[in-house]
Structures are given as C-alpha cells and as structure tokens.
Amino acid sequence: MPKTTAASVTPPPAAVARDPHWTAKMERLRARKRPTAKLEICDDDTIRQALVRARAEHDMAVAVGDEDSQKATAQALEAAQAAFDEAGITLTFQALPSAEFEALKKAHPPTEEQAEDRQDFNPDTLGPELVSRSCLDELTVEDAADFLENWGVGEATQLFFAAWNIQSHVRSDLGKG
C-alpha cells in the first residue's frame, strides 16, 4: 500500500462535516511515533535500594499531604535518582512496525515440542533478534544472545520482556460509547 501524506489526501466531506479539525487530526495520527520503553539496570544494590526507599518515602509524603515532607522527600528522591542515573545503564526499546514484528515471529517457528504446547514461535531463537531489532541502543544480535544466555534468569527475562512487551503497548482508550 503506497504511503500517503496528509497533504495528498482529500478530506472526505462527511468526515470534515462531523469534525472540522479532520485534517489536523489525520496529520497528528500520521506523525505518531511507535511506543518506547526503558529497561534500567543498576548493579549497585545500595544505590538501587536507596532509590526505591526515596520513591516510597516521597509517595507516602504525597499521600499524607504534608508539604514540608513532600519538599524534603522530593529533594531526596532527586538525589537518589541522580545517583542511580550515574551508576545505571538504560536500554531503550521501541515497538517494531506490526508487519515486521509478525514477520519476525514467523521467521522463528516453534520446535515440535513448543508447537505441541501451542506456542506460535520459538522464543529461544526469536529473543536475540527481537531484543536487537527493538533496542534503540543498537545491540547486535550476538550481544543480545550473549546477554540472554549469560545474565541471571531474572535479568535475562526482563531484557526479553522489555523488547516483547513494548510490541503490544497500548496508548489509546476506547472511551465511553
């Protein structure tokens, strides 16, 4: 299907009659970027736990409504976040175009055993390629495979699911009919 631009489309009169901002709406829809998500990794458990505590304390201050505590905990949270950002590593993932994601799944058919378990693809072979393709930080397939194989199970699972979950991320609401 050829790509069109907002300028090349003649607005349907009925659509414009219902919504005088149809052209602007269509431009915004065409300009949307695919969703992204971040996986934040911090090997320093002390720094990571300090950030968790600072968030919890700030959330509690907000819930209680104590303005003095909110200011103090906001400053502590900012400092903890800065320390985490300095020590941590962030990987950013972006959803693939839907046709590319579907083709990628088809390129990794399930083993006989996986098919018997009703799996549609082989996560073992799909994982490294999905992580590599959806990571905006330009991880190679080889790097992704190495991380998925050699990191601890929990972190490898988080890496895979950061790439997997962004594929079905929803930023819309059906609203009330």
Side-chain angles (χ1 to χ4, degrees):
M1 175 176 255
K3 240 182 175 187
T4 58
T5 62
S8 68
V9 175
T10 303
V16 174
R18 280 191 316 274
D19 182 358
H21 305 289
W22 182 88
T23 301
K25 181 189 298 184
M26 295 308 292
E27 287 174 5
R28 288 182 64 201
L29 286 170
R30 286 187 182 93
R32 293 182 72 230
K33 302 224 184 305
R34 293 184 310 277
T36 60
K38 294 185 183 301
L39 174 64
E40 296 179 338
I41 303 163
C42 182
D43 291 330
D44 188 326
D45 202 46
T46 303
I47 291 173
R48 194 178 59 73
Q49 288 299 326
L51 178 58
V52 169
R53 275 192 310 279
R55 281 183 182 149
E57 289 169 3
H58 182 66
D59 289 348
M60 182 60 76
V62 169
V64 170
D66 180 350
E67 288 185 28
D68 291 335
S69 291
Q70 286 179 38
K71 288 178 187 174
T73 58
Q75 290 174 342
L77 177 56
E78 189 176 313
Q81 184 68 58
F84 182 92
D85 292 345
E86 178 70 28
I89 302 165
T90 300
L91 295 174
T92 304
F93 296 87
Q94 184 174 46
L96 301 172
S98 57
E100 184 179 336
F101 181 54
E102 291 304 317
L104 183 59
K105 289 191 296 187
K106 286 181 182 171
H108 296 275
T111 63
E112 281 187 35
E113 185 177 329
Q114 290 167 337
E116 287 174 8
D117 290 341
R118 299 183 182 232
Q119 291 185 6
D120 296 329
F121 56 88
N122 183 336
D124 300 326
T125 60
L126 173 78
E129 198 165 342
L130 177 62
V131 168
S132 173
R133 283 197 195 182
S134 61
C135 185
L136 296 178
D137 300 293
E138 300 184 26
L139 287 181
T140 65
V141 173
E142 294 77 20
D143 284 338
D146 179 52
F147 299 156
L148 290 167
E149 184 176 325
N150 293 309
W151 285 1
V153 172
E155 290 178 342
T157 300
Q158 280 192 326
L159 178 63
F160 175 82
F161 280 115
W164 177 264
N165 289 342
I166 196 60
Q167 306 308 319
S168 59
H169 184 79
V170 177
R171 299 176 293 178
S172 59
D173 181 10
L174 294 176
K176 296 181 181 179

